[in-house]
Amino acid sequence: MTTETVLRPAAEQQYAAELAALAAADDRPRPPRWRMSPQAVVTYVLGGKLPDGTVITPKYVGDRRLVEIAVGTLVTDRALLLVGVPGTAKSWLSEHIAAAVSGNSTLVVQGTAGTGEDQVRYGWNYARLIAEGPSEAAVVASPVMTGMREGAVVRVEELTRMPAEVQDSFITILSEKTLPVPELGIQVQAVPGFTVIATANDRDRGVNQMSSALARRFNTVVLPPPATEDDEVQIVSARAAQLGRALQLPAEPPALEEVRRVVRIFRELRNGSTVDGRTELKKPSGSLSTAEAISVVTSGMALAGHFGDGSITADELASGLLGAVVKDRVSDAAAWQEYLEAVVKERVEWRDLYRACQDLVG
């Protein structure tokens, strides 16, 4: 399989050339089993230019120090926990760090209410177990067990979505760096390079709160939303264009002014006030994250490419905005209508968007 034949290639596939160039040019000390030095990992994540002229594209737009702390944590004996509101690129950042450090971002445990201990520890090939009895050959390794054996980064998505007893399976793994298999009387010991990057959603606090014993095993880095409107416009524009190419949408890359309109609407509704601070606004129930802004723009590209002339206009954005903002048919609809009347209608350059949104609501 190549990046041209899959819909969503892993980071190490999509950016293989950049990773190879960075590794070749990297002359700094590398921790055991790391593909490159911590400094090179940060360059891969934030972008830069190598001495040979190779341009490394930014994968994450944000505070450099936060990324340095995140990468530096993985050199120690503590695991890394990325925390933030929805859409702050926690999973995106963990994937790219894993790709740069281990060359493999696919060792993933997805946290849900139904995640069991076997997905964290190990399972059994029941056909072999019945036929041969308990044996190492009958063990089905989890991503965690594989990462311990290979000395690789393991990603745990939405840690606090897991039941508390499953979360606590990580305590021994992270503190002792061992995974007991009592049925066989053995234990798997982690080799150097093994570590865990977990993500957790701020909005999930209290769903399955982490125990203090587990929390101590992590160094927590809080990822904030994009600091400025310009940063968020850059993220949305770049990612939407990338998705458009991957999906082969017959539309032009989104114009910056259209992306800026979506981003400003999201930021104003998120903050509960207009950008100039003069008008207080009702906050919708949804998160209105950067990821959702990317979805609105990408949806607009699809409509423009297949049902329009290829250029995104207010008509293509209106439906995506309505779907993103109005999650509750009563309270959110009222908040959206108030925003249209109090803000969008009053901006002369946004009159086309006002008409398109009102036509859709009507």
Side-chain angles (χ1 to χ4, degrees), residues 221-259:
V221 173
V222 179
L223 298 183
T228 68
E229 184 178 289
D230 287 342
D231 285 347
E232 194 162 2
V233 168
Q234 179 185 344
I235 295 167
V236 174
S237 181
R239 185 66 181 136
Q242 186 181 52
L243 285 171
R245 291 192 296 270
L247 298 171
Q248 300 182 30
L249 298 178
E252 300 173 3
L256 282 179
E257 56 267 24
E258 297 299 343
V259 175

Side-chain angles (χ1 to χ4, degrees), residues 16 19 44 49 80 119 123 153 182 199 206 210 245 248 253 264 302 307 321 330:
L19 290 167
Y44 168 74
K49 191 172 184 179
L80 172 65
Q119 293 166 268
V153 175
T199 66
M210 289 172 58
R245 291 192 296 270
Q248 300 182 30
R264 179 162 296 183
F307 303 104
L321 287 168
V330 178

Side-chain angles (χ1 to χ4, degrees), residues 11-12 19 34-38 40-46 59-60 66-75 80-82 89-106 152-155 193 195-199 221 223:
E12 60 271 19
L19 290 167
W34 280 43
R35 297 296 183 94
M36 59 187 72
S37 68
V41 174
V42 172
T43 300
Y44 168 74
V45 171
L46 296 178
K59 318 302 180 304
Y60 174 77
L66 282 181
V67 177
E68 290 175 344
I69 292 170
V71 174
T73 295
L74 302 182
V75 183
L80 172 65
L81 177 63
L82 300 175
K90 300 180 295 295
S91 299
W92 182 257
L93 182 58
S94 74
E95 177 185 357
H96 282 285
I97 291 177
V101 170
S102 301
N104 182 5
S105 64
T106 63
V153 175
V154 176
R155 298 168 53 212
T195 191
V196 171
I197 304 177
T199 66
V221 173
L223 298 183

Side-chain angles (χ1 to χ4, degrees), residues 258-340:
E258 297 299 343
V259 175
R260 188 172 295 279
R261 289 207 284 190
V262 173
V263 167
R264 179 162 296 183
I265 289 169
F266 273 39
R267 291 179 74 88
E268 289 181 329
L269 288 172
R270 254 191 341 240
N271 296 332
S273 66
T274 53
V275 69
D276 58 12
R278 294 179 179 178
T279 306
E280 295 295 317
L281 304 168
K282 292 179 182 176
K283 292 184 180 182
S285 60
S287 63
L288 297 181
S289 66
T290 306
E292 288 172 292
I294 293 168
S295 178
V296 169
V297 174
T298 306
S299 175
M301 291 174 65
L303 289 173
H306 291 291
F307 303 104
D309 62 3
S311 299
I312 296 181
T313 66
D315 290 329
E316 284 76 38
L317 294 179
S319 59
L321 287 168
L322 180 65
V325 175
V326 180
K327 304 297 186 187
D328 183 283
R329 295 179 64 87
V330 178
S331 62
D332 289 348
W336 179 233
Q337 189 60 41
E338 178 186 281
Y339 182 77
L340 289 176

Side-chain angles (χ1 to χ4, degrees), residues 49-223:
K49 191 172 184 179
L50 302 184
D52 65 0
T54 301
V55 175
I56 306 300
T57 57
K59 318 302 180 304
Y60 174 77
V61 177
D63 189 327
R64 182 180 187 87
R65 195 58 178 167
L66 282 181
V67 177
E68 290 175 344
I69 292 170
V71 174
T73 295
L74 302 182
V75 183
T76 71
D77 64 345
R78 299 184 76 189
L80 172 65
L81 177 63
L82 300 175
V83 177
V85 297
T88 47
K90 300 180 295 295
S91 299
W92 182 257
L93 182 58
S94 74
E95 177 185 357
H96 282 285
I97 291 177
V101 170
S102 301
N104 182 5
S105 64
T106 63
L107 296 175
V108 182
V109 178
Q110 179 62 56
T112 69
T115 301
E117 275 196 53
D118 59 328
Q119 293 166 268
V120 174
R121 297 167 61 81
Y122 55 87
W124 295 97
N125 180 327
Y126 287 103
R128 299 195 70 159
L129 187 65
I130 292 170
E132 305 169 7
S135 67
E136 288 193 49
V139 173
V140 178
S142 69
V144 177
M145 181 181 281
T146 300
M148 295 176 73
R149 286 171 170 166
E150 297 179 358
V153 175
V154 176
R155 298 168 53 212
V156 181
E157 293 296 308
E158 304 291 355
L159 176 62
T160 52
R161 284 283 180 186
M162 296 181 186
E165 62 273 15
V166 178
Q167 292 181 32
D168 285 344
S169 301
F170 284 101
I171 293 177
T172 300
I173 293 169
L174 296 179
S175 59
E176 305 297 330
K177 303 297 189 290
T178 61
L179 178 52
V181 186
E183 296 90 340
L184 303 179
I186 64 172
Q187 59 182 6
V188 175
Q189 294 183 299
V191 301
F194 165 73
T195 191
V196 171
I197 304 177
T199 66
N201 191 328
D202 266 356
R203 295 201 171 196
D204 288 341
R205 285 181 179 171
V207 175
N208 291 305
Q209 192 70 34
M210 289 172 58
S211 67
S212 59
L214 179 57
R216 288 197 303 272
R217 271 69 182 181
F218 285 98
N219 184 35
T220 301
V221 173
V222 179
L223 298 183

